[in-house]
Amino acid sequence: LRTPNFASVIAHADQLKARSTDPEEAESLRLIKTRLIKDALWAVSEISRSKKNKLRRQRYISQGVYDLWTGLVREGVTKVGTFDKDANDESLIHEHVVQRSGLEARLRDLSDEAEINAALKEVIACVVTKAEHQLLEPHKKHDGWVRYDYAQIRVYDRLEKQWLAP
């Protein structure tokens, strides 16, 4: 999914709201914009809405996921779904690197399509294990990769085929 498409729709909803003279219609359009923002934050980071590809196609994976998937490949595990949902009793989680709550608040205040598009480009996901997700929880006051640094979770960039620098 491309962020400019979402940016255009969100900006258009905001423009309609700004031009509305009916308070009920304006409120309805505000709610529509809020829903569009929430949907965009998930859709942009999921890459693929299908369960089959939601996790497997993510660019960034944690050390725990890397180790788990590497081990499964070495063992010759090829069962469909193994790399997507649960494997060897390890639950995998689609985690927003830049937390949704902050992005939502920022996007609510934006009406310019280019600014909305720039904000949506910050939507990045990383696949982590359930245990790693719990390590991230105490660091919610931080955002982005710095949370991973504080939690001491290494991240592998599957596109660049290298570990991110801590």
Side-chain angles (χ1 to χ4, degrees):
L1 299 171
R2 293 184 22 192
T3 59
N5 297 338
F6 285 106
S8 177
V9 172
I10 292 167
H12 187 65
D14 198 61
Q15 291 161 8
L16 289 172
K17 181 183 78 118
R19 289 192 299 242
S20 177
T21 56
D22 178 5
E24 287 183 22
E25 180 184 55
E27 176 61 12
S28 178
L29 288 163
R30 184 191 68 75
L31 293 172
I32 288 170
K33 180 181 177 183
T34 299
R35 182 76 247 167
L36 289 168
I37 289 169
K38 289 178 182 293
D39 288 349
L41 292 178
W42 276 107
V44 169
S45 69
E46 285 182 338
I47 299 171
S48 172
R49 300 288 278 198
S50 77
K51 283 186 177 183
K52 180 180 177 185
N53 295 316
K54 179 179 173 180
L55 299 180
R56 185 172 22 142
R57 294 180 105 186
Q58 290 298 323
R59 176 176 178 174
Y60 301 103
I61 60 172
S62 68
Q63 176 81 57
V65 174
Y66 180 91
D67 292 345
L68 178 66
W69 286 355
T70 302
L72 291 169
V73 169
R74 279 192 199 123
E75 293 171 14
V77 174
T78 59
K79 182 181 173 191
V80 174
T82 300
F83 300 95
D84 300 315
K85 191 177 176 187
D86 298 316
N88 296 344
D89 298 324
E90 292 267 0
S91 294
L92 305 180
I93 297 172
H94 169 270
E95 207 273 330
H96 284 86
V97 176
V98 176
Q99 297 171 77
R100 289 188 330 265
S101 58
L103 280 171
E104 274 183 45
R106 205 162 103 222
L107 285 164
R108 275 194 301 269
D109 293 335
L110 297 176
S111 57
D112 178 72
E113 185 175 341
E115 290 176 351
I116 293 169
N117 188 43
L120 289 174
K121 286 185 179 183
E122 294 178 33
V123 179
I124 301 169
C126 182
V127 182
V128 299
T129 65
K130 186 175 182 179
E132 289 168 327
H133 192 256
Q134 291 171 343
L135 291 173
L136 288 165
E137 286 298 310
H139 306 289
K140 280 191 164 201
K141 66 181 176 184
H142 304 288
D143 220 352
W145 295 119
V146 71
R147 283 181 32 230
Y148 288 72
D149 292 342
Y150 280 111
Q152 298 181 341
I153 297 172
R154 290 182 68 208
V155 174
Y156 186 72
D157 180 338
R158 296 169 70 203
L159 180 64
E160 298 293 328
K161 298 186 181 349
Q162 65 185 11
W163 293 96
L164 298 184

